[in-house]
Amino acid sequence: MRFERVRLRDFKCYDDADLALRDGVTVIHGVNGSGKSSLLEACFFALYGAGAVDGTLDDVISNGAEAMTVELWFTHAGGDYRVEREVKLRSGTAQTTTCVLETPDGSVEGVRDVEAQIASLLRMDAEAFVNCAYVRQGEVNKLINAAPGERQDMIDDLLQLGKLEEYRERASDARVGVGRVRDDKEGAHSQVCEQIETKEDEDLHERLNGLQSELAEVTEDIEDKRQNREEAEATLESAESVIEEYEDRREEIDELDGEIDELAATISEAEGDREALAERIRSLRATTGTLEDELESTVAETDLEEADPDAVADRLEALDDEAESLRDDIEEHRLEANEYERTAETKRERAAELREEAAGTREEADELEADLEADREALEERRADLEELDEEIEDLRAELSGAPVEQSAVEAHRESVDEELTAARERIAELEADLENAEATVREAERLLGAGKCPECGQPVEGSPHVESIDADRERVEELEAELESAQSRVAELEAKRERAVELVETETELGRLEETRDERAELVEQKAETLEDQADRVQELWAEAEELAADAEDAEAAADEAETAAGAARDAIGELNAEKATIDERRERLRRIEELLEDVADNEREIETLRERRDGKAELNDERRERLADKRERKADLEAEFDPSALEDAREEKARAEDYLEQVEPHLEAQRDERDELQADIGAVENEIAELEQLRERRDELEAVVDRLDSLYGEARQLQESYADLRAELRQRNVETLESMLNETFQLVYENDSYARIELDGDYRLTVYQKDDTPLDPEQLSGGERALFNLSLRCAIYRLLSEGIEGEAPTPPLILDEPTVFLDAGHVSKLVELVESMTAHGVDQIVVVSHDEELVGAADDLVAVKKDPTTNRSSVERSAAVETLPTP
C-alpha cells in the first residue's frame, strides 16, 4: 500500500492544503507548532475516522470553520483507492456527514462500512496501525515499556494470531455447550427409562380387556330399555293426537262464535255509517245554496254581467297589470326621494367635516410655528457638540502617530506580539523540562558513579564504554541553564511590548468609535437643518389649505338645500299614486272573492257525489257480510254434531299410562349411559397409557442415538480446540524466530562493532539484550537514546515481518515516523538515518518522517516544508526544491 495524495480543507490548522506523496523517504519539516504532525494525523483520520482522534470530532475542525474535509488517495494490490471524510458542526456538535471509499469494484459509503473495508484491506484496525506502521510523537518507547502480556497481545494481533485464540475460545465454548446438552440428554434418557418400567408394571392390556367386557353388558341393557321406551312414546303420541284433535275442534267452535258476533256487530256499524253519510249530503246541499246567494250579490257589485270564471280571470289579470304599473311608478319616485335625501345629508356632513378640517389645519400651523423655534435652538447645541468631538479625535490621532506601526495594523501587531510571547513561553516550558531531565540524568549518573556503576547502563564501571558521558551531561545542563535565562529575558521584553500593543489597540478602538460617532452626529445635524426648512414651508401651506377648506364648506351647504327641495316634490307624487292604487286594490279583492265562491260551490258538488258513492258501497259490503254470517252458523252446527266423549276418555287413560312408564325408564337409562361413558373413558385412558408407553420406548431409542452423536461431537470439539492452541503456539514460535532474526539484523546494523552482541526474544515476546561478554540486560537499562533506537529497531523489525510475511508478502501501509529524534542526541540521529536507509534497502517503498533534524532532513528523497502564517495562524505545505539546512530549536 502507498499513499499517493492527501488533501485537507479546514482540518485543524490548515485552510486548504494539497500534497502529493512519493516513493522513498519523505521528510516533512518545519518549526515547532507549524502543523507537521497534523498532516500525518489527517492521513490517519482519513483511514480510521474518530478512532484516530485523541479528543472529539470538534477538535479536527479549524477554529471559525463550520465544516472540515479530508481526502486520501492510495494504491493497494495494484488498485487505486480514494477515501473522503467530511465533518460538519450541527447544533454545536460535530458529526460525520460524508464518508466514502472509492474502490476498483465500486463505492462504499457510511462510517461503519468504510472502516470495516479499510480494516479488511490492511488487515489491521486503528490500534494495530499505530502499533505497526505509525510511530506517533512521544510513543517511540511504547512497545518496550509495555508489559510482556500487553506486548504479546499487540504483536499477536498484528500477526493475526489473535484470530486463532478467538477460534480456540469458540471451540472451547462449543465443547462446553455440547457437554451441557449431552448431560441434559443423558438425564432425559434415564428419566424416560424409569417411566417405561413404571408403566410396564401396571399390566395395561389385562385392564383393557376387563373394561371392554363390562361395557358390552351395559350397552345391551341400554338397547333393550330404549326399544321399550320407543313403544311407550308411540302410544303416548297416538293418545295425544286424539286429545289434540278434540281440542282443535273445540277451539274452532270458539273461534266461530267470536267471528259470528264480530260480523253481526260490523253489519250494524255499517248501517249506522250509511245514515251518517245521508245526513252529511243534506248539509252540503244547504251550504251550496247559501254560497250561490253570496255569489250573486257580489257579482252585482262589479261591472260583470254574470259569474263566468273565464271573464273573472281576464278582468282580474287586467287589474293586476294596472296595480303593478302603479307600484313601479311609486318605487321610482321613492328611490328618487331617498337619493335626494341622502345627497342632502352627505353634503351637510361634508360641510361639517370641511369646517372641522379647516380648524385643525389652523391649529396645526400654530403648533408647527412654536416647535420651529425650539428646534433651531437645539440645532445650534448639536453643532457645538460636534466641535468638541473633533478636538478629542485630533488628540487620539496625535497619540497614535507615535506608534511603531500604522494605525490599521495595530491589531495585527498585538496578535504578532501575542504569538511571539506564546512561542517564547512554550520554549521556556520545553527548556525547563529538558533541564529537569538533564539534571535528573546527572544526579542519577553521579549516584551510580559513587556506587562504582556505569551511569549509562548501570553495570560495573570497569570495562564500560560509557563512563565519560557524565561530563557531556553536565555541559548540557549548563547550556540549558544559559538558554533558559536568555529565554526568560526575552519573555519579559515581550510582555512589556504586549502591554504597549494592547494600549495601542484600545486607543485605535476608541478613535474608531469617536470617528463613527462624529460622522453619525454630523449627518444628523444636516438632516435636522433640512427638516427645519421643510417645516417653515409646511406652515405656509397649512394656512392656504385652511382657507380653501372653509370655502368648500359653504358650497356643500348650498348643495344640501337644493337636494332637500327635490326630495319633497318626489314625496308628493308618491301620495297621489298610492290613492289611485287603493281603488284598484279594492276592485281586485271583489274579483278574488268571486273566484273563491265559485271554487267552494264546485267543491261541495264534488263532495256530495263522493259521499253518495261511499253510501252505496257500504250497502254492497253488508250484503256480503250477511252471506258469510249464515255460512259460519252452519259450520258451527256441523262441528257440534261430530263430537264423541267416550273416545276422548280412552285417549286420556292411555296417555297417563305411557307418561308413567317413560318417567320411570329415563333415570335408569341415564344411569346406564353414565356408567357406559365412565367405562369408555377408562378404556380411552388405558389405551392412551399404552400409546404413551410406545412413545416413551421410541423416545428412549432417539435419546440413545442423540447421546451417541453428542459424545462424538464433544470429542471433535475438544480436538479442534487443541488444534487451534497447537497451531497458535507453532505460528507464534515461527514468528518469534523470524522477528528475533530481523530484530538482530536491524539492531546490529545500527550498533555494529559496538558493545552489544545480540537480542533474545522468547515465546512470550520478552526481550533481553546481551553485551559482548554475554551479560544480559533488560531493555530498560539502556540509555535514553539507545532505548529509542532499540524501540525503533523493534518497530521496524515488526513492520518487515508483516511486510515480507512468514510465507509470502502481506499488505502494509507506509512506515510513518513522527518526530523519532525526540529522545536522540546527535550521535544517535546518524544511527536512525542508517536504520531508515536499511528499511528502504529491505523493500519498504514509502517512508514518511516528521522531523526538524538537519541530518535526517539531508537523508530525504523528498522534502516537504510546513509553514504557519503568524497573522492567520494557518498552515501551508510546499515541496522544497533542494534540501536546506535548518536551525535546530
Side-chain angles (χ1 to χ4, degrees), residues 99-148:
C99 184
V100 179
L101 173 64
E102 296 176 358
T103 75
D105 299 326
S107 296
V108 180
E109 298 185 4
V111 174
R112 292 185 179 179
D113 292 342
V114 168
E115 292 178 3
Q117 184 69 14
I118 292 291
S120 175
L121 287 172
L122 303 184
R123 301 183 190 172
M124 59 181 72
D125 57 12
E127 183 178 0
F129 187 88
V130 171
N131 291 334
C132 170
Y134 184 14
V135 182
R136 304 173 83 174
Q137 185 173 348
E139 295 184 0
V140 173
N141 293 328
K142 181 177 180 181
L143 275 176
I144 197 172
N145 291 336

Side-chain angles (χ1 to χ4, degrees), residues 199-301:
K199 288 188 179 294
E200 287 176 344
D201 292 340
E202 294 178 358
D203 199 3
L204 297 174
H205 289 286
E206 184 176 351
R207 285 174 54 197
L208 179 61
N209 293 333
L211 290 171
Q212 289 175 341
S213 297
E214 292 181 23
L215 177 62
E217 294 175 359
V218 171
T219 302
E220 183 178 357
D221 182 63
I222 289 174
E223 183 62 24
D224 292 340
K225 294 296 188 293
R226 185 184 64 76
Q227 292 177 357
N228 294 336
R229 184 188 62 183
E230 289 177 357
E231 293 175 358
E233 287 174 347
T235 301
L236 177 62
E237 183 178 355
S238 176
E240 287 177 342
S241 176
V242 172
I243 295 171
E244 184 178 357
E245 183 181 358
Y246 163 75
E247 290 176 350
D248 290 342
R249 288 178 180 178
R250 183 72 264 175
E251 183 178 353
E252 185 177 356
I253 292 172
D254 294 339
E255 288 177 358
L256 287 171
D257 284 338
E259 290 174 358
I260 289 170
D261 294 340
E262 184 178 354
L263 278 173
T266 303
I267 291 170
S268 176
E269 183 180 354
E271 288 299 325
D273 291 342
R274 289 182 73 247
E275 183 60 31
L277 288 172
E279 181 62 28
R280 174 60 180 160
I281 291 170
R282 289 191 290 273
S283 173
L284 285 172
R285 284 174 178 162
T287 302
T288 301
T290 303
L291 291 173
E292 288 175 346
D293 293 341
E294 184 181 355
L295 176 61
E296 183 178 355
S297 62
T298 304
V299 169
E301 294 176 357

Side-chain angles (χ1 to χ4, degrees), residues 333-352:
H333 285 84
R334 185 185 65 77
L335 293 175
E336 184 179 353
N338 290 341
E339 181 63 25
Y340 282 129
E341 288 173 353
R342 283 196 298 271
T343 300
E345 184 179 359
T346 301
K347 292 294 184 181
R348 295 199 189 283
E349 290 176 354
R350 180 56 182 161

Side-chain angles (χ1 to χ4, degrees), residues 796-809:
C796 290
I798 293 173
Y799 184 89
R800 281 184 57 198
L801 179 61
L802 289 176
S803 178
E804 297 175 10
I806 301 298
E807 297 177 350
E809 294 186 355

Side-chain angles (χ1 to χ4, degrees), residues 312 315 319 587-595:
V312 172
R315 186 57 180 156
L319 291 175
R587 294 169 62 193
R588 290 166 64 212
E589 188 63 30
R590 289 194 192 97
L591 290 173
R592 288 197 184 94
R593 179 56 184 162
I594 291 172
E595 283 186 335

Side-chain angles (χ1 to χ4, degrees), residues 80-98:
D80 294 328
Y81 295 80
R82 172 183 167 273
V83 60
E84 178 184 356
R85 291 181 188 267
E86 181 184 58
V87 178
K88 290 184 178 180
L89 286 175
R90 289 181 175 175
S91 302
T93 302
Q95 299 178 5
T96 300
T97 54
T98 301

